[in-house]
Amino acid sequence: MSGAAVANLPEDLSPEQARGLLELVPRLDGRRVLVVGDWVADEFVFTGAGRVSREAPVLILRHERSTIVPGAAANAVANIAALGGVPVACAQVGEDEWGERLSEQLAERGTVLSGLQRRPAWPTPRKCRILAGDRNVALQQVVRVDHGCDPCPPAELPDVATLLDDVDGVLLSDYGLGFVTDELVARCLDGAKERGLTTCLDSRHRLLDHPGIDACTPSEQELEEALGGSVESAETRAEMAGAALDRTHAKVMVLTRGSQGMEVYQPGQPTVSLAAFGSGGVADVTGAGDTVIATFSLALAAGIDAVDAARLANVAAGIVVTKIGTETASPEEIAAALRTRAED
């Protein structure tokens, strides 16, 4: 066992720590990260006040507007770009409206698309979320409809060696949609090791299936699914984190705990527990995990140590959950939040 230490009480970000993080934010600018993963088109349908149908016990909602934004690994790409990094995409989309819109949006944000495969006769995965509420309350998701989300491996393995030649780090975003195959991961890990690059993993269902990664950012639910236990106590969380670190050979795990913040586990090091950043005004948690892995991996690629990288990711996540939909955080927003905390 890696002997992960039991976490102490969560630390709130101190003014001194905030000032230190402020100095690190500019280091994110221009760092290039290869993002290998499953792209999803996140569709949000915004509606106005509704009523109950006379035909069946269902809501009738008045459509106001719809939007398509990058989701899953594409959201990680968008977050890296928003933070001033340069994402290099390795993914696949269909030759359809949704794939085209994702490609255009991310190209406009400076994404390098040389590793993007466009596949005919294959639908780009799309998750449609219907939001409802009246004028006096925040909109809430009432239903989600998924389209084309059956797992599908890549048509051919990307030329990972070429993509790795000009990046500072690697992010693997495995949403279980088939693109992130064992062979593709093995090539990424081998190439990254040869070049001295840090590899970060965010995996929805296969946390333990990619040994050789350097870092991972599972949620409590993902850790439980991987190991078949419960993380109800600090002791069991530490035991399970240690077991996962052993089996993946990772050097660091950032365990995300929603409103309870994060815990940073490193073999042989004291566990650092971070209180959730922000005022607690959560509007929508959609995509917050993508923000965490994007910020964390970009910070590691910039040479920032794991704990400070996790602190920056915690701040970024605290910003995006105050927004409706799949969103990003900018360096300006992070700096403003840190300045406010630094002056407390």
Side-chain angles (χ1 to χ4, degrees), residues 6-334:
V6 176
N8 297 317
L9 292 175
E11 65 170 41
D12 205 0
L13 191 67
S14 70
E16 181 180 3
Q17 289 169 342
R19 288 190 288 271
L21 293 180
L22 262 172
E23 297 179 358
L24 298 178
V25 173
R27 290 172 56 178
L28 304 179
D29 189 59
R31 296 293 179 169
R32 298 169 68 90
V33 177
L34 174 62
V35 183
V36 180
D38 300 300
W39 280 23
V40 172
D42 274 358
E43 180 179 17
F44 291 87
V45 178
F46 297 86
T47 70
R51 58 187 175 85
V52 177
S53 171
R54 291 180 293 180
E55 301 169 352
V58 297
L59 288 175
I60 298 175
L61 302 172
R62 185 183 70 255
H63 179 271
E64 293 189 343
R65 61 186 175 92
S66 299
T67 186
I68 293 286
V69 295
N75 184 34
V77 168
N79 271 270
I80 289 173
L83 290 165
V86 180
V88 178
C90 182
Q92 64 182 356
V93 293
E95 289 187 346
D96 53 18
E97 174 189 355
W98 318 110
E100 186 65 26
R101 291 175 71 171
L102 287 183
S103 302
E104 289 178 353
Q105 286 186 30
L106 293 175
E108 290 172 356
R109 304 181 196 195
T111 304
V112 178
L113 298 178
S114 53
L116 182 63
Q117 298 181 0
R118 293 173 172 85
R119 304 188 59 176
W122 181 75
T124 301
R126 175 167 53 100
K127 298 179 180 180
C128 176
R129 297 168 173 88
I130 313 296
L131 290 82
D134 65 31
R135 69 185 66 182
N136 297 317
V137 298
L139 293 179
Q140 300 287 331
Q141 292 185 36
V142 295
V143 68
R144 192 182 91 184
V145 181
D146 290 357
H147 303 259
C149 290
D150 294 327
C152 180
E156 60 183 39
L157 282 177
D159 183 5
V160 175
T162 299
L163 297 174
L164 286 168
D165 278 342
D166 191 27
V167 297
D168 303 300
V170 180
L171 190 168
L172 304 170
S173 179
D174 180 7
Y175 267 76
L177 297 179
F179 185 79
V180 186
T181 64
D182 291 343
E183 185 174 358
L184 179 55
V185 172
R187 290 191 180 189
C188 289
L189 296 182
D190 289 344
K193 185 176 181 181
E194 291 175 1
R195 294 163 176 80
L197 303 174
T198 299
T199 53
C200 299
L201 171 70
D202 181 21
S203 181
R204 182 61 58 89
H205 302 295
R206 300 202 304 152
L207 172 64
L208 305 181
D209 291 354
H210 305 305
I213 58 169
D214 293 309
C216 56
T217 61
S219 66
E220 286 188 334
Q221 294 79 10
E222 289 162 355
L223 185 61
E224 287 178 334
E225 179 181 337
L227 292 170
S230 171
V231 295
E232 291 182 356
S233 70
E235 289 77 10
T236 56
R237 287 197 303 277
E239 290 178 4
M240 293 170 71
L245 287 169
D246 276 348
R247 292 174 62 175
T248 59
H249 312 299
K251 301 178 182 67
V252 59
M253 172 190 290
V254 177
L255 183 66
T256 60
R257 307 187 60 223
S259 63
Q260 300 303 306
M262 302 177 179
E263 289 172 350
V264 184
Y265 295 94
Q266 299 179 87
Q269 298 293 324
T271 298
V272 178
S273 185
L274 308 177
F277 185 85
S279 63
V282 176
D284 194 341
V285 299
T286 304
D290 303 321
T291 299
V292 170
I293 189 66
T295 310
F296 185 67
S297 61
L298 184 60
L300 292 183
I304 296 171
D305 76 80
V307 174
D308 278 340
R311 289 188 176 116
L312 284 171
N314 191 31
V315 174
I319 291 169
V320 299
V321 298
T322 65
K323 306 176 183 182
I324 296 292
T326 309
E327 279 286 353
T328 62
S330 69
E332 293 78 16
E333 289 174 313
I334 292 174

